[in-house]
Amino acid sequence: MITEEQTSQAVAEILSSHKKEKKNLIPLLQEVQIRLGYLPRKAMQEIASFLEVPGVEVWGVATFYDQFRFVPLGKYHTRVCMGTACHLAGGKLILEALERELDIKVGETAEDGNFSLERVACIGCCMLAPVIVIKDKIYPKMTPFKVEETLIPYKQEPQGKLKE
Amino acid sequence: MEKLISLEIDGKEVKAREGMTVLEAAKEAGIEIPTLCYHEKLEPYGACRICSVEVERGGRTQVVASCGYPVEEGMKIKTRSERIDQIRKTIIELIAPSLSDGGVVGKVRELADEYGADTSVFMSTFKATPTRCILCGQCVRYCSEVVAANAIGFVGRGVERRVVFLPERASRFCPTCRECYEVCPTGKIAAETDGSIFPEFSIDDFLSGKM
């Protein structure tokens, strides 16, 4: 978890390399997200006061775009492909199985911070459909049953010492 | 000295000052044009399009939003015509489903009756949740332009777009202000907040379920 001090420090560094211009709002939000993985509330407030833009305006811009996240991703961020090939091969069933297994809905992060679930358009390996990606590792030709199996090592290693 | 411009609204000769909008000129001449997102203290927004009028110039007619359209010398304007009535009717019909939970009441109801709009025609195809908000932005703009509190704003996009209160600002300004209660044309804000609690109006509610 990122503390408020870490957030402030990271944001301050990013802000120092930008001019106080309103047009920098989106680049600033992007840089903060690249650095911290999401947009903490504190960061948004600091960007707003730096640019002298009302806080609601920063929220308005940030929530407009799908690329911005407001909760941190889980340690094992799981992406489910919903591209054409994966969709036809039953991607929806895989997503449902993951939702069931992880007990979170798509777009959420589990309370313990270990897993988050996202649906994506295409991962680029349609031959292996349907695919899921758990923390940059691709799992091909999934079935609802294999989902359970695949998750076991991740569930057993919440400390992050999993051998990959 | 400000330049006077003469134009014709509904066959009536009207004098207006330069820089006025068609809506303002009509108002001064006693001609009523319906509005939903217009507020005299705010900058024109042009969101609801209910104030659309026909402008005739050089034999061609054009439909414009009168709230933001500046007056020009020799303009001929029609505030009511078959075309305009049809446009307003459709706009009301499209707005109506978002009010369906509390019933189509108030200003929208009056307009629906006047233009013969069937408020249920798009009800069955309406997929979003009826929020009772028509996104006219009057509260948001009033809060920023007149009160300068910036406690309320838009978040999201498309069907998810809605109005929220920013808690850290709202707790400071809203309990004593509440001026947005008056400007809301559907009465949503007054009905659903008390100036301190904002059910379904806070950023946290919006973000839950969003990554």
Side-chain angles (χ1 to χ4, degrees):
Chain A
M1 221 24 216
I2 300 158
T3 62
E4 288 220 336
E5 286 102 76
Q6 285 173 308
T7 303
S8 291
Q9 204 195 334
V11 173
E13 276 172 36
I14 292 164
L15 292 180
S16 66
S17 61
H18 283 83
K19 284 200 188 122
K20 266 191 187 194
E21 285 169 14
K22 209 175 161 183
K23 66 172 184 194
N24 284 334
L25 176 55
I26 291 176
L28 281 171
L29 291 170
Q30 284 170 326
E31 277 184 45
V32 170
Q33 177 158 302
I34 290 168
R35 184 77 166 268
L36 302 174
Y38 73 111
L39 295 175
R41 254 193 140 105
K42 186 115 179 38
M44 310 254 296
Q45 282 165 4
E46 279 167 22
I47 291 173
S49 53
F50 172 76
L51 295 176
E52 287 161 22
V53 164
V56 280
E57 218 172 305
V58 175
W59 276 104
V61 170
T63 55
F64 186 87
Y65 297 101
D66 258 351
Q67 61 170 303
F68 295 119
R69 285 187 295 269
F70 306 97
V71 286
L73 291 180
K75 193 180 286 164
Y76 303 118
H77 180 51
T78 306
R79 290 179 290 164
V80 186
C81 184
M82 284 289 172
T84 314
C86 291
H87 172 77
L88 287 174
K92 197 157 177 261
L93 296 174
I94 308 300
L95 182 65
E96 281 167 7
L98 275 161
E99 285 185 336
R100 214 165 37 235
E101 281 298 313
L102 298 173
D103 199 22
I104 51 173
K105 287 266 176 309
V106 62
E108 287 179 351
T109 299
E111 259 172 47
D112 58 9
N114 280 331
F115 289 97
S116 53
L117 194 57
E118 184 188 18
R119 54 177 290 171
V120 293
C122 186
I123 288 166
C125 48
C126 306
M127 218 179 84
L128 306 173
V131 294
I132 65 170
V133 181
I134 304 178
K135 204 188 176 187
D136 301 328
K137 190 165 191 289
I138 292 175
Y139 292 89
K141 297 195 191 288
M142 291 308 289
T143 64
F145 179 71
K146 270 172 79 181
V147 163
E148 201 179 326
E149 202 181 348
T150 311
L151 287 173
I152 290 170
Y154 294 96
K155 282 188 168 173
Q156 284 176 343
E157 275 290 341
Q159 309 310 316
K161 289 174 201 148
L162 185 86
K163 283 196 189 97
E164 285 169 31
Chain B
M1 192 53 207
E2 270 182 293
K3 217 172 105 191
L4 276 182
I5 288 171
S6 50
L7 63 155
E8 194 189 302
I9 305 178
D10 291 346
K12 197 172 153 186
E13 197 66 29
V14 172
K15 290 258 187 267
R17 289 180 302 281
E18 199 174 18
M20 276 174 104
T21 63
V22 171
L23 183 69
E24 287 164 344
K27 222 175 175 180
E28 275 202 9
I31 297 162
E32 186 136 350
I33 298 174
T35 57
L36 283 173
C37 71
Y38 171 80
H39 191 287
E40 54 190 18
K41 287 188 189 165
L42 305 176
E43 288 291 309
Y45 195 50
C48 72
R49 318 308 283 188
I50 205 83
C51 68
S52 293
V53 294
E54 264 185 290
V55 174
E56 194 190 320
R57 247 178 334 191
R60 291 174 60 193
T61 60
Q62 191 188 358
V63 175
V64 301
S66 63
C67 65
Y69 203 83
V71 288
E72 285 164 24
E73 185 66 44
M75 258 178 154
K76 277 189 185 152
I77 290 152
K78 272 195 223 156
T79 67
R80 287 296 286 263
S81 69
E82 206 178 307
R83 190 174 172 198
I84 291 299
D85 285 6
Q86 182 62 42
I87 288 171
R88 290 187 187 153
K89 175 175 170 267
T90 308
I91 291 169
I92 296 296
E93 285 170 351
L94 288 167
I95 285 174
S98 38
L99 306 173
S100 60
D101 62 336
V104 183
V105 289
K107 207 168 174 183
V108 182
R109 178 79 263 164
E110 284 167 32
L111 289 170
D113 292 339
E114 188 176 344
Y115 292 93
D118 176 2
T119 54
S120 62
V121 69
F122 291 117
M123 225 61 112
S124 58
T125 45
F126 189 70
K127 294 286 189 292
T129 340
T131 53
R132 212 170 150 185
C133 176
I134 60 171
L135 302 172
C136 69
Q138 282 198 66
C139 52
V140 173
R141 291 176 294 135
Y142 198 91
C143 193
S144 111
E145 290 176 32
V146 180
V147 188
N150 291 305
I152 181 168
F154 281 119
V155 291
R157 176 179 51 180
V159 291
E160 285 181 347
R161 188 166 161 90
R162 63 166 111 164
V163 166
V164 296
F165 284 88
L166 192 65
E168 52 263 36
R169 306 279 298 172
S171 56
R172 241 173 87 195
F173 294 98
C174 299
T176 52
C177 166
R178 302 187 184 187
E179 285 181 39
C180 54
Y181 287 26
E182 299 299 316
V183 300
C184 180
T186 67
K188 174 188 168 80
I189 296 181
E192 293 179 22
T193 59
D194 62 0
S196 54
I197 312 163
F198 310 104
E200 293 173 46
F201 263 127
S202 81
I203 282 173
D204 301 282
D205 290 323
F206 178 77
L207 293 180
S208 62
K210 247 181 113 70
M211 201 178 253

